[in-house]
Amino acid sequence: GAVVSQHPSWVICKSGTSVKIECRSLDFQATTMFWYRQFPKQSLMLMATSNEGSKATYEQGVEKDKFLINHASLTLSTLTVTSAHPEDSSFYICSARDTSGGWETQYFGPGTRLLVL
Amino acid sequence: SQQGEEDPQALSIQEGENATMNCSYKTSINNLQWYRQNSGRGLVHLILIRSNEREKHSGRLRVTLDTSKKSSSLLITASRAADTASYFCATDPEAAGNKLTFGGGTRVLVKP
């Protein structure tokens, strides 16, 4: 099946720094990728939809200046958490939709655990 | 806000028993999908059922969909310890531009 990777898998940073998370579709092209965050023992909450070549679409309540998304190519989307604070600590998961075959299926990355001290 | 609600929130069974979890949703959907998540890991796609389908099987998994009741169920038969994970339903609402909305999840513990 399709593979989506994320890098890094975990990161610890100091409050006030910015952290970039990469999401790559390894064996298919994805014009659309999605970014989710998940708090412990909770469900995934969609943060934004990343569109190749255009601006991301953010869900209500998600600060676009706080969570910068860049979908630079058909296989790469990045999420930058700017000026991170402890409350940004979470598990961030990306997904990509493979439109070549089973377009309805989203493939998820392994997630990135962010801890802000 | 979450579209789906799942119950139970947690389930503990013995190996070999069946596990059933349910998902309810609010709006019309294109399809409903079930995912598994092992602790601290990413999601694994299990099965997709379209709005015009009523039942689907994949190995030891059986999924039903009742669009009139806006509900779905996932049955895992002959459970194994390796089935211990959280299970999430996700709906692909008609009016949401193919964005998945996840339920709260069911944490399943299969005791050996």
Side-chain angles (χ1 to χ4, degrees):
Chain A
V3 177
V4 174
S5 71
Q6 278 184 244
H7 177 80
S9 56
W10 60 271
V11 58
I12 301 173
C13 69
K14 293 182 179 179
S15 186
T17 60
S18 293
V19 175
K20 180 185 283 188
I21 303 170
E22 293 185 349
C23 176
R24 293 181 185 272
S25 57
L26 297 184
D27 50 2
F28 65 98
Q29 293 183 332
T31 55
T32 302
M33 292 183 174
F34 302 91
W35 287 96
Y36 298 83
R37 68 186 296 181
Q38 184 182 33
F39 291 108
K41 296 186 178 180
Q42 294 189 25
S43 187
L44 279 73
M45 297 298 293
L46 179 65
M47 298 174 66
T49 302
S50 173
N51 304 297
E52 190 270 336
S54 64
K55 292 183 179 180
T57 305
Y58 290 82
E59 295 300 300
Q60 192 172 11
V62 178
E63 299 177 58
K64 62 180 181 180
D65 295 329
K66 171 77 173 176
F67 299 99
L68 300 179
I69 292 173
N70 182 25
H71 197 142
S73 74
L74 287 171
T75 59
L76 173 64
S77 175
T78 60
L79 168 68
T80 301
V81 183
T82 62
S83 186
H85 291 283
E87 58 265 30
D88 298 323
S89 298
S90 188
F91 192 51
Y92 292 87
I93 305 176
C94 72
S95 71
R97 191 182 293 271
D98 182 359
T99 57
S100 65
W103 63 273
E104 299 142 314
T105 301
Q106 284 189 28
Y107 297 96
F108 284 79
T112 297
R113 191 164 301 281
L114 171 63
L115 176 61
V116 184
L117 302 177
Chain B
S1 62
Q2 291 178 189
Q3 151 97 297
E5 297 290 334
E6 292 184 58
D7 80 274
Q9 291 187 345
L11 182 59
S12 180
I13 56 175
Q14 292 293 140
E15 205 166 26
E17 294 179 341
N18 296 340
T20 300
M21 57 211 87
N22 303 292
C23 169
S24 60
Y25 57 93
K26 299 175 183 175
T27 63
S28 297
I29 59 172
N30 293 313
N31 62 70
L32 185 146
Q33 304 178 37
W34 285 91
Y35 289 84
R36 185 184 76 205
Q37 184 181 37
N38 289 80
S39 181
R41 308 292 294 274
L43 272 70
V44 174
H45 182 262
L46 295 177
I47 198 165
L48 178 152
I49 186 165
R50 294 184 177 85
S51 60
N52 62 351
E53 297 175 314
R54 292 296 167 259
E55 188 171 313
K56 210 162 183 180
H57 297 257
S58 176
R60 293 183 295 112
L61 304 179
R62 172 176 168 255
V63 167
T64 64
L65 179 65
D66 187 334
T67 52
S68 66
K69 296 181 179 178
K70 292 186 168 56
S71 68
S72 174
S73 68
L74 170 66
L75 167 68
I76 305 173
T77 60
S79 64
R80 304 167 182 169
D83 295 328
T84 295
S86 290
Y87 292 82
F88 294 92
C89 68
T91 53
D92 187 346
E94 284 182 351
N98 300 128
K99 293 187 291 188
L100 291 182
T101 305
F102 283 82
T106 296
R107 293 192 302 279
V108 175
L109 171 63
V110 182
K111 294 179 282 187

